[in-house]
Amino acid sequence: MNSEIPTQIPTPLGELSLRLSATPRGARLARRLTAQQLDAWGYPHDGEASDTAQHVVAELAPNAVTHGRVPGRDFGLRLLLLPEGTLRVEVSDARGDRGLRIVRETDAEGGRGLILVAVLARTWGVQERDVGKTVWAELPLG
């Protein structure tokens, strides 16, 4: 895991940036919108690249809603289609006072922690923001 977003991100070939309600419904919508955007970029819903991206978003968005929620604040989803077949997923929340830890085993509440993200992503990390944090992952698409 990298501890911060690299200072140089290549110029994206495509971008989707949204604010979604910090609710379970907003988290589910993030996953669906990820599939739709990848399809628009030429990676079909039933393809491996879309499936992987949806799994990562399905892990990060609920974490933002459950652990990063601040009443009255949304969470952010940003998808960047980078050169050389890479997708960058960024999920931002308003709570910066809680650090992330990699859970090596399934936690007591049944979650997978960030194990799935660590397995599926080429690289991933966390960056603090002025308000809150961004958890990001870069995924191979091809």
Side-chain angles (χ1 to χ4, degrees):
M1 177 182 90
N2 294 331
S3 61
E4 58 186 61
I5 296 177
T7 54
Q8 292 292 328
I9 298 172
T11 302
L13 305 173
E15 179 176 355
L16 173 71
S17 186
L18 301 165
R19 305 290 311 163
L20 300 162
S21 66
T23 63
R25 184 173 187 246
R28 287 189 306 271
L29 183 58
R31 181 177 179 161
R32 278 190 238 131
L33 292 170
T34 297
Q36 288 178 350
Q37 185 60 57
L38 282 170
D39 189 58
W41 286 336
Y43 299 93
H45 285 271
D46 58 354
E48 185 177 335
S50 181
D51 187 51
T52 299
Q54 288 179 66
H55 282 304
V56 168
V57 170
E59 201 60 41
L60 297 181
N63 283 349
V65 168
T66 303
H67 305 295
R69 184 174 183 275
V70 172
R73 296 282 183 100
D74 295 335
F75 76 95
L77 171 67
R78 185 174 179 216
L79 305 176
L80 299 168
L81 181 61
L82 301 177
E84 300 180 21
T86 299
L87 175 69
R88 183 182 186 86
V89 175
E90 298 179 358
V91 176
S92 302
D93 64 52
R95 176 157 285 159
D97 60 346
R98 294 186 184 185
L100 291 175
R101 61 185 172 85
I102 299 175
V103 179
R104 299 278 179 219
E105 299 175 12
T106 301
D107 68 31
E109 297 174 9
R112 293 175 302 273
L114 293 171
I115 293 171
L116 186 62
V117 175
V119 168
L120 295 174
R122 180 179 294 145
T123 185
W124 71 280
V126 181
Q127 177 156 3
E128 297 295 320
R129 303 179 315 140
D130 289 339
V131 176
K133 66 186 167 302
T134 297
V135 181
W136 58 272
E138 290 187 358
L139 313 170
L141 291 173

